Amino acid sequence: MNLIDGKLISQQIKAEISEEVKSMLASGKRAPHLAVIIVGHDGGSETYVASKVRSCEEVGFKSTKIAFEDSISEEELLQKIDELNNDGELDGFIVQLPLPKHISEQKVIEAIDFRKDVDGFHPVNVGRMSIGLPCFVSATPAGIMELLIRYEIPTSGKHCVVIGRSNIVGKPVASLMMQKANPGDATVTVCHSRTKNLKEITLQADIIIAALGIPEFLTADMVKEGAVIIDVGTTRVPSTETKSGFRLKGDVKFDEVAPKCSYITPVPGGVGPMTIVSLLKNTLLAAKGEIY
Ligand code: L34
């Protein structure tokens, strides 16, 4: 069993990005600038946004955090987005999800100028990704692809089973894995909460991408010997053993699945840190004007 160390790879990529920023500055350009909007006080979101801001500092980006209370109206949020769309000093921005119920996530996503949509959630970016055109690829799927590249894990002709069909992970990662590319060229099956005989399907998988958000859902009896396991879950479950009062659990029952696989990502320290560096990479591309 080989552990896929997302934390280590993310540090290597941050070092690569820092070098690029240095040469941008040396050639008289300004540093890439990312803004992050957060609404309310979801514990996970606050942690991830803080980590995004810290990572910007680490690589020499400028960052702006814009925090609103839960009580902000949809209209006020859309107004802020309009302002950021028109800010010439800003390369890209994201609105951290989830949003409070009274705000339409879809409306918010579509209000973002696709040229600044470094989350890759806008329909223009999603559409371009699905037909293989240059675009901002959303961060978690991009991070997963990067891990497959850096660990030289073959995907061509493999059977990849994606569990989960969310717009931010399941659908885009399935689309990337089936694309005529490397990584890609896989035969992809997408499973979800209505799938019958899930275990029969996962047992045929060479690569499983678990992105359904149910802690320890994937157990050893569902996994073929030698499979590659990518665990996207990060659910906070109550714990008496940690200071914070919770512990992060993946979608994979790691202890029993790990001995069966060829490669596996841990939680934490697997896909999560890669999500953050992929956002940095997209911001760098935006600053260099390499996509639009
Ligand atoms: N708009 N909303 C928008 N963009 C995103 O890309 C996200 N996502 C997902 C939730 N909502 C979003 C994230 O940022 C999930 N996500 C995310 C980002 C980072 C980490 C996990 C999820 C991460 O860094 N995880 C660490 C542990 C962090 C901790 O201690 O809680 C890890 O090692 O897995």
Side-chain angles (χ1 to χ4, degrees):
M1 185 274 287
N2 296 290
L3 197 67
I4 299 180
D5 191 340
K7 183 124 207 234
L8 178 77
I9 301 293
S10 73
Q11 280 158 355
Q12 289 171 358
I13 296 175
K14 279 184 197 169
E16 293 164 16
I17 296 173
S18 294
E19 287 308 310
E20 286 218 40
V21 174
K22 276 184 204 144
S23 58
M24 282 174 85
L25 295 176
S27 68
K29 296 202 188 81
R30 62 166 175 76
H33 182 191
L34 171 73
V36 181
I37 298 180
I38 177 168
V39 180
H41 297 279
D42 177 84
S45 296
E46 285 186 328
T47 305
Y48 308 148
V49 166
S51 180
K52 288 173 184 182
V53 169
R54 201 175 340 109
S55 300
C56 281
E57 277 163 28
E58 280 171 40
V59 300
F61 286 7
K62 182 177 172 188
S63 69
T64 304
K65 178 181 152 186
I66 303 165
F68 293 113
E69 288 303 325
D70 273 322
S71 54
I72 187 177
S73 69
E74 185 179 272
E75 199 188 327
E76 283 170 288
L77 182 58
L78 292 173
Q79 220 171 325
K80 189 66 187 181
I81 289 171
D82 189 50
E83 204 182 289
L84 300 184
N85 281 340
N86 292 299
D87 181 345
E89 296 289 299
L90 187 63
D91 299 298
F93 67 99
I94 69 163
V95 180
Q96 187 72 20
L97 302 179
L99 291 171
K101 296 245 174 321
H102 66 278
I103 300 177
S104 157
E105 290 188 351
Q106 207 46 46
K107 232 189 229 179
V108 164
I109 288 168
E110 291 194 58
I112 298 171
D113 186 326
F114 66 88
R115 291 162 296 196
K116 289 193 177 180
D117 168 41
V118 285
D119 253 339
F121 292 169
H122 190 283
V124 169
N125 283 310
V126 177
R128 291 179 65 95
M129 181 211 60
S130 78
I131 56 174
L133 294 176
C135 64
F136 297 117
V137 175
S138 64
T140 302
I144 294 169
M145 301 309 268
E146 193 67 42
L147 287 176
L148 295 172
I149 294 171
R150 303 246 171 177
Y151 279 85
E152 298 180 12
I153 295 171
T155 59
S156 178
K158 302 293 180 190
H159 185 195
C160 174
V161 173
V162 177
I163 314 175
R165 55 176 155 184
S166 70
N167 287 343
I168 76 173
V169 186
K171 277 183 211 160
V173 85
S175 174
L176 291 169
M177 288 299 285
M178 78 172 78
Q179 217 140 79
K180 208 173 180 61
N182 182 34
D185 283 334
T187 303
V188 179
T189 303
V190 181
C191 299
H192 47 76
S193 53
R194 297 288 174 270
T195 299
K196 290 183 182 143
N197 312 325
L198 181 81
K199 183 175 155 181
E200 236 167 72
I201 298 167
T202 57
L203 275 171
Q204 295 169 32
D206 303 307
I207 303 167
I208 299 178
I209 302 177
L212 68 163
I214 301 179
E216 302 188 323
F217 177 86
L218 194 79
T219 46
D221 59 313
M222 301 168 80
V223 175
K224 180 171 81 175
E225 200 71 43
V228 175
I229 308 290
I230 307 290
D231 188 351
V232 185
T234 47
T235 309
R236 289 181 162 196
V237 298
S239 166
T240 50
E241 289 157 39
T242 59
K243 258 192 261 161
S244 59
F246 66 84
R247 172 176 302 259
L248 221 52
K249 281 243 192 274
D251 291 348
V252 178
K253 201 157 191 177
F254 185 90
D255 291 347
E256 62 173 60
V257 172
K260 285 187 95 173
C261 348
S262 55
Y263 289 91
I264 186 166
T265 63
V267 175
V271 174
M274 293 303 293
T275 296
I276 294 183
V277 290
S278 301
L279 174 66
L280 298 178
K281 273 192 146 184
N282 278 346
T283 305
L284 183 65
L285 289 173
K288 296 204 295 192
E290 283 186 1
I291 306 275
Y292 300 111

